[in-house]
């Protein structure tokens, strides 16, 4: 066991997150008996890597994000971050939700202040996403894009080892989405946080990720893994980039 | 401002007009005063300090009973809403809830005797249940996602209760307080009709026995006006506390 542990820690891949043979089923409801989402699913994520989990709607991506965040427990296997088994939510990995998760009754600054008391860190987090001038307003007055930026700023203020993004931009229009994707890319370049993006947007996954894992089937399994070796921050004209189109076609063949 | 004054003047004129219409059309002249008699009686009452002491006595009972009910309703509502282990207590509260405050008067007099303590108790019983229920449902309606966020960021239990649960439930709590203050005011009048020798309820009761219907009507109007002002006071605090909803 110790030899195996040493191999995992010192191996050439330097994996930080291990998802080991996890299975998960929802309780059967009505006529639907087989609600198995995952069956012994395994994959790893390197430190500082940006990985995207790509799959069709309702394939179990959000369930996977919730398992990684510690909100729900897998029925078999385990999730390990920095060699520690995850069995409850914790500050070392933060999930940025698809849903609206800001505290409406707190100002922008207070929303960050509740997770981090240090004013320097609060201001730095606001600066990272260019939200300084909105510090004293309530989230309800912000646009959808700014709200997502605030969620990101709050997450960065907590300084987690691992960030999980569950379709963070799915509710935004395409222009705002592209702007935020570019900002996220810059943030990733600056912070080098290990990140997992859960999405059904193929272009978004290609634009941001170092590696894409495509999930498919019922129960889902890894259909293919595609490494993307472009440096961050990225300036990609997706419509004229042949490699971009080639990756997109590969994904579409396996989607 | 001018428009508001005009609108309020119109409302009061309409009200007095309806009263005068009833006075002329229905056979009530033997026991109801005319508008002029009512006005004269109002001037007599308000130039005398007795009516103010009755108002202050009622207000004091309401403020003490209501404050105790607000503290108990909010604390117990949050505790039972937050902790599944305490939820069994709710069935006891649900059994007591349908009992109207007035039904507690005999028990209150037996236990606390005639006087202020019995009135505080009646006011408490009137205001507690709406405040408790609103707070409890406010806590229960907290979206799951906020709990997940709090767990992820490892917020302490105290901060979670104060900054998330309590703050989120504030609009619900204020709804309960507004219903509660109305109930408290109604309860105090009921209690004073029976168990005290001061207050607006007592004032109405004693004037009824003296067949002074003009004073009974003045007392009733004062109950309405003070109740309205108390509700406005709660709304004022609501605006101060819930800035983010504006």
């Amino acid at each position: 066991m110790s030899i195996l542990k040493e191999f995992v820690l010192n191996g050439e891949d330097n994996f930080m997150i291990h998802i080991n043979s996890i299975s998960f089923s929802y309780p059967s409801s009505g006529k639907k008996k087989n609600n198995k989402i995952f069956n012994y699913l395994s994959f790893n994520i390197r430190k500082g890597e940006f990985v995207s989990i790509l799959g069709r709607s309702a394939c179990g991506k959000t369930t996977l994000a919730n398992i990684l965040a510690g909100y729900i427990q897998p029925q078999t296997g385990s999730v390990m971050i920095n060699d520690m088994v995850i069995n409850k939510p914790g500050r070392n990995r933060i999930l940025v939700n698809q849903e609206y998760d800001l505290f409406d009754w707190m100002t922008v600054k207070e929303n960050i202040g509740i997770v981090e008391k240090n004013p320097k860190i609060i201001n730095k987090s606001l600066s990272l996403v260019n939200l300084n001038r909105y510090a004293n307003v309530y989230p309800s007055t912000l646009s959808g894009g700014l709200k997502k930026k605030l969620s990101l700023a709050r997450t960065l203020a907590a300084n987690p080892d691992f960030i999980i993004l569950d379709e963070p931009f799915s509710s935004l229009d395409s222009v705002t989405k592209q702007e935020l994707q570019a900002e996220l890319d810059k943030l990733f370049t600056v912070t080098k946080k290990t990140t997992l993006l859960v999405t059904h947007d193929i272009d978004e996954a290609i634009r941001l990720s170092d590696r894409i894992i495509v999930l498919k089937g019922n129960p889902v399994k890894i259909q293919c893994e595609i490494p993307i070796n472009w440096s961050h921050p990225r300036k990609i004209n997706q419509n004229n980039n042949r490699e971009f189109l080639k990756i997109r076609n590969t994904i579409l063949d396996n989607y | 401002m001018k428009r508001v004054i005009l609108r309020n003047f119109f409302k009061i004129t309409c009200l007095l007009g309806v009263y005068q219409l009833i006075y002329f059309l229905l056979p009530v002249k033997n026991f109801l005063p005319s508008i002029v008699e009512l006005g004269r009686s109002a001037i007599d009452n308000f130039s005398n300090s007795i009516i103010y002491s009755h108002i202050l006595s009622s207000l004091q009972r309401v403020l003490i009973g209501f404050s105790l009910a607000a503290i108990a309703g909010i604390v117990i509502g949050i505790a039972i809403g937050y902790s599944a282990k305490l939820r069994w207590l709710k069935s006891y509260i649900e059994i007591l809830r349908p009992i109207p405050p007035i039904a507690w008067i005999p028990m209150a007099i037996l236990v606390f005797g005639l006087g202020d303590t019995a009135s505080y108790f009646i006011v408490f019983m009137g205001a507690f249940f709406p405040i408790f229920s609103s707070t409890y449902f406010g806590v229960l309606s907290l979206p799951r996602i906020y709990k997940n966020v709090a767990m992820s960021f490892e917020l302490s239990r105290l901060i979670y209760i104060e900054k998330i649960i309590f703050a989120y439930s504030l609009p619900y709590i204020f709804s309960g307080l507004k219903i509660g203050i109305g109930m408290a005011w109604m309860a105090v009048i009921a209690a004073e009709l029976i168990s005290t020798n001061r207050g607006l309820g007592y004032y109405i009761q004693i004037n009824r026995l003296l067949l002074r219907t003009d004073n009974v009507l003045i007392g009733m109007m004062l109950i309405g006006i003070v109740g309205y002002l108390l509700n406005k006071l709660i709304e004022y605090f609501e605006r101060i506390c819930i800035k983010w909803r504006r």
Side-chain angles (χ1 to χ4, degrees):
Chain A
M1 185 64 196
S2 63
I3 295 166
L4 179 68
K5 194 171 157 186
E6 209 168 287
F7 172 76
V8 169
L9 289 174
N10 302 328
E12 57 178 355
D13 276 330
N14 191 21
F15 288 124
M16 176 184 154
I17 294 146
H18 302 269
I19 290 99
N20 303 318
S21 305
I22 58 164
S23 305
F24 187 82
S25 330
Y26 283 107
S28 52
S29 58
K31 287 179 186 173
K32 202 174 178 183
K33 282 180 184 171
N34 185 13
N35 255 350
K36 192 151 228 170
I37 309 293
F38 311 118
N39 203 13
Y40 300 105
L41 183 76
S42 299
F43 64 95
N44 300 320
I45 300 171
R46 294 176 193 88
K47 187 173 167 50
E49 190 180 22
F50 195 122
V51 175
S52 283
I53 296 286
L54 201 57
R56 293 188 179 195
S57 294
C59 79
K61 302 186 297 293
T62 297
T63 305
L64 179 63
N66 284 330
I67 289 173
L68 294 179
Y71 297 151
I72 49 177
Q73 298 303 310
Q75 283 133 5
T76 69
S78 64
V79 175
M80 289 170 83
I81 297 178
N82 287 331
D83 218 21
M84 285 191 39
V85 176
I86 297 307
N87 49 23
K88 61 175 186 179
R91 215 176 151 94
N92 65 341
R93 83 230 90 105
I94 301 292
L95 170 65
V96 176
N97 288 286
Q98 183 180 2
E99 298 166 64
Y100 181 70
D101 63 358
L102 298 169
F103 302 125
D104 281 325
W105 52 93
M106 295 180 195
T107 61
V108 166
K109 208 170 185 174
E110 287 166 348
N111 259 284
I112 300 175
I114 196 164
V115 303
E116 177 55 56
K117 297 279 171 279
N118 189 336
K120 279 185 187 169
I121 295 175
I122 296 172
N123 289 332
K124 193 183 162 195
S125 306
L126 287 172
S127 303
L128 273 171
V129 293
N130 299 318
L131 272 180
N132 295 66
R133 66 194 175 106
Y134 299 102
N136 296 315
V137 304
Y138 288 100
S140 58
T141 60
L142 300 178
S143 65
L146 292 178
K147 283 175 186 165
K148 279 294 161 200
K149 281 185 177 186
L150 177 54
S151 272
L152 275 172
R154 186 174 66 181
T155 301
L156 291 170
N159 194 24
D161 298 327
F162 177 40
I163 298 173
I164 308 152
L165 305 164
D166 182 12
E167 300 192 32
F169 311 133
S170 59
S171 59
L172 304 173
D173 64 88
S174 60
V175 176
T176 312
K177 200 176 192 177
Q178 285 192 16
E179 283 170 8
L180 283 178
Q181 284 165 357
E183 286 218 29
L184 180 62
D185 192 28
K186 277 182 203 160
L187 275 177
F188 177 74
T189 312
V190 173
T191 61
K192 277 287 167 202
K193 290 277 176 202
T194 310
T195 307
L196 182 91
L197 171 70
V198 169
T199 183
H200 57 244
D201 185 331
I202 297 172
D203 291 350
E204 181 175 84
I206 302 170
R207 203 173 296 133
L208 293 165
S209 319
D210 298 322
R211 182 160 52 110
I212 297 173
I213 298 173
V214 181
L215 297 181
K216 195 180 178 184
N218 183 25
V220 288
K221 57 183 182 53
I222 295 173
Q223 186 73 8
C224 66
E225 282 192 50
I226 300 159
I228 299 170
N229 299 315
W230 299 328
S231 63
H232 294 274
R234 292 176 178 169
K235 285 177 184 169
I236 310 155
N237 186 341
Q238 62 195 59
N239 296 320
N240 296 330
N241 189 309
R242 283 179 66 187
E243 203 177 345
F244 192 103
L245 297 173
K246 195 179 156 193
I247 294 168
R248 187 199 274 167
N249 287 334
T250 309
I251 293 168
L252 282 170
D253 290 343
N254 291 283
Y255 201 54
Chain B
M1 185 68 188
K2 202 176 171 185
R3 228 174 134 179
V4 174
I5 293 168
L6 271 173
R7 199 186 300 149
N8 285 335
F9 178 76
F10 177 73
K11 281 181 199 168
I12 293 166
T13 313
C14 279
L15 194 70
L16 294 175
V18 169
Y19 179 86
Q20 195 61 13
L21 206 66
I22 291 168
Y23 182 77
F24 279 127
L25 295 178
L26 300 178
V28 291
K29 290 190 182 64
N30 288 335
F31 55 90
L32 272 190
S34 68
I35 284 285
V36 178
E37 286 167 325
L38 202 60
R40 200 177 294 138
S41 177
I43 291 165
D44 286 348
N45 269 301
F46 291 117
S47 56
N48 191 326
S49 65
I50 292 171
I51 191 80
Y52 299 108
S53 71
H54 284 302
I55 296 172
L56 285 176
S57 293
S58 294
L59 270 178
Q60 179 207 324
R61 289 182 190 119
V62 163
L63 290 180
I64 292 173
F66 175 76
S67 302
L68 293 172
I71 294 166
I74 293 168
V75 170
I76 298 172
I78 288 176
I80 295 181
Y82 169 71
S83 167
K85 285 177 188 166
L86 293 176
R87 217 149 284 165
W88 59 275
L89 284 168
K90 194 174 175 280
S91 49
Y92 290 111
I93 296 172
E94 287 303 319
I95 289 168
L96 295 174
R97 196 156 67 116
I99 303 171
I102 202 163
W104 287 98
I105 291 176
M107 290 301 294
I109 293 172
L110 281 173
V111 176
F112 302 109
L114 287 167
D116 282 341
T117 316
S119 303
Y120 300 151
F121 176 75
I122 304 298
V123 171
F124 179 91
M125 294 312 282
F128 171 78
F129 296 103
I131 299 171
F132 163 79
S133 295
S134 300
T135 308
Y136 173 75
F137 285 113
V139 176
L140 278 195
S141 66
L142 183 82
R144 174 80 204 178
I145 201 160
Y146 289 141
K147 192 178 179 187
N148 285 347
V149 171
M151 286 195 297
S152 276
F153 288 108
E154 296 177 10
L155 302 185
S156 71
R157 187 176 295 189
L158 196 69
I159 288 182
Y160 177 57
I161 290 173
E162 184 200 336
K163 306 264 185 186
I164 312 291
I165 291 183
F166 177 71
Y168 173 83
S169 307
L170 262 182
Y172 295 86
I173 291 172
F174 271 101
S175 294
L177 291 175
K178 279 187 272 184
I179 301 168
I181 196 77
M183 292 296 290
W185 192 237
M186 281 190 257
V188 79
I189 301 301
E192 285 168 356
L193 286 170
I194 297 159
S195 68
T196 58
N197 58 3
R198 199 150 280 285
L200 282 174
Y202 171 78
Y203 179 78
I204 289 175
Q205 180 71 344
I206 201 76
N207 280 294
R208 183 183 71 87
L209 294 173
L210 296 170
L211 294 176
R212 287 291 303 272
T213 44
D214 53 338
N215 284 349
V216 171
L217 283 169
I218 298 285
M220 285 169 67
M221 276 190 267
L222 280 172
I223 289 169
I225 291 165
V226 175
Y228 173 80
L229 292 176
L230 285 174
N231 193 57
K232 284 280 164 199
L233 190 70
I234 302 273
E235 281 179 1
Y236 171 73
F237 285 123
E238 186 181 19
R239 277 199 298 276
I240 291 175
C241 294
I242 311 177
K243 288 178 191 156
W244 53 277
R245 270 207 164 177
R246 265 184 239 164

